[in-house]
Amino acid sequence: MRIISGKAKGRKLLSPPTFDTRPTLDRIKESIFNIIQGYTYDAVVLDMFSGTGSLGLEAASRGAKECHLIDAGPLTYPYLKKNISQLGFESFCYSYNSDAYNNLLKFSQKKVIFDIIFIDPPYLKNMIPKAIEMIEELGLLQKEGIIVTKIDTSEEIYQGSASIILTDKRKYGNTTVCFYKYKED
């Protein structure tokens, strides 16, 4: 795993020596960032279920001004912290070793609103609907913002909530990437 572009281009990301995590393949990550490139610069980013931080740290490298990375895993979280540190991103990347949904409530209380939200939970657990519904209810996505999710291709694609809807999906082998935005009025 590495950073593909931006100020940390080519830098390697540390990950645990197990098969318990699913790092985003470089070709998928590159495709995601080609699609969302207009959102990244100067963005406030949330990477839920971030693992070792591949998606959030890529956004940080590409010019996001602030990045919040959440991972509850006792195995992956130390690697997330090390990756932030080794990239020199401590001044604008913040990590949380806790439940992603509880953090959504905390962000709401602090009035943090995001331009980009990555939701890449463990596969086959149906965690995306609850996350998007909470994001909508708590007003955590900018009106012009975007949510990017990753699921196993065998999973049913969530169509969206009352006002945040699926706008695009791309299949890459056994991974499907979905994009959500607010409905246009």
Side-chain angles (χ1 to χ4, degrees):
M1 272 193 323
R2 64 187 173 92
I3 299 292
I4 297 170
S5 188
K7 55 188 160 202
K9 180 180 181 177
R11 302 276 302 275
K12 292 196 183 299
L13 296 174
L14 304 170
S15 62
T18 69
F19 295 105
D20 293 341
T21 61
R22 296 173 293 94
T24 302
L25 298 174
D26 283 355
R27 69 182 177 86
I28 297 173
K29 187 164 51 168
E30 190 162 10
S31 295
I32 290 170
F33 280 90
N34 284 341
I35 292 166
I36 67 166
Q37 64 186 342
Y39 294 88
T40 309
Y41 184 76
D42 216 23
V44 178
V45 176
L46 173 59
D47 187 355
M48 298 177 68
F49 313 102
S50 66
T52 57
S54 178
L55 293 172
L57 295 174
E58 184 72 33
S61 180
R62 291 174 183 241
K65 72 176 175 187
E66 190 176 304
C67 190
H68 300 267
L69 301 104
I70 306 167
D71 194 79
L75 182 63
T76 51
Y77 184 73
Y79 288 91
L80 172 60
K81 283 194 66 82
K82 284 180 195 167
N83 284 332
I84 292 169
S85 177
Q86 81 164 7
L87 294 174
F89 289 174
E90 302 96 335
S91 65
F92 65 102
C93 288
Y94 312 99
S95 64
Y96 309 88
N97 186 208
S98 59
D99 178 79
Y101 302 120
N102 288 341
N103 267 293
L104 293 179
L105 295 169
K106 291 176 185 176
F107 290 130
S108 175
Q109 292 163 353
K110 293 178 183 177
K111 308 250 185 281
V112 180
I113 302 175
F114 299 98
D115 300 293
I116 302 170
I117 299 175
F118 296 107
I119 307 173
D120 184 9
Y123 282 176
L124 306 169
K125 302 257 189 220
N126 201 31
M127 299 171 88
I128 291 168
K130 179 178 179 180
I132 291 178
E133 288 161 12
M134 285 183 72
I135 289 162
E136 177 187 1
E137 181 183 317
L138 298 170
L140 296 174
L141 181 66
Q142 292 284 0
K143 286 296 178 196
E144 302 299 320
I146 192 164
I147 296 172
V148 181
T149 69
K150 271 180 51 204
I151 59 172
D152 186 273
T153 298
S154 69
E155 291 182 69
E156 184 176 334
I157 294 175
Y158 178 64
Q159 296 301 308
S161 62
S163 58
I164 297 175
I165 59 167
L166 177 71
T167 58
D168 194 4
K169 62 183 180 288
R170 309 284 173 101
K171 184 178 172 185
Y172 305 93
N174 68 347
T175 298
T176 299
V177 179
C178 299
F179 301 88
Y180 299 83
K181 297 179 188 176
Y182 277 105
K183 278 188 213 176
E184 293 184 19
D185 293 330

